[in-house]
Amino acid sequence: NQDKVLLDVKLLTALFNLSFSVLTIGGNSFGAACVFPFTYGAKSYTKCTDVGKTLLWCATTKNFPADGKWGNCVPNSKIP
């Protein structure tokens, strides 16, 4: 049944993405997880960066250029 397979794929994708989340503190996203890749300036980032800020940070939404949501990356916060 195609609908069940599609649902299973979506669920597995969501669990995979959650399992490799980097948590944030500070910024303007109230502890939301990082969303990779994100674009800042003319560059795409697949991990936390310190470009433009003092501490390592990341975008916390899919559309950082439009909404500017970000947070400071919590060291060693990748959920295995």
Side-chain angles (χ1 to χ4, degrees):
N1 160 335
Q2 278 186 316
D3 290 338
K4 180 164 178 14
V5 170
L6 183 58
L7 181 61
D8 290 345
V9 169
K10 287 182 179 180
L11 179 60
L12 289 172
T13 301
L15 289 172
F16 177 81
N17 290 337
L18 179 62
S19 68
F20 291 101
S21 295
V22 175
L23 304 177
T24 66
I25 190 168
N28 61 6
S29 292
F30 307 101
C34 295
V35 174
F36 300 111
F38 68 92
T39 302
Y40 178 70
K43 186 173 179 184
S44 180
Y45 294 87
T46 58
K47 62 183 180 179
C48 298
T49 182
D50 63 357
V51 173
K53 304 196 184 302
T54 308
L55 300 172
L56 288 174
W57 69 279
C58 65
T60 55
T61 65
K62 289 182 179 185
N63 196 356
F64 178 74
D67 58 38
K69 296 291 186 181
W70 67 280
N72 295 310
C73 299
V74 175
N76 302 315
S77 67
K78 279 195 172 185
I79 304 167

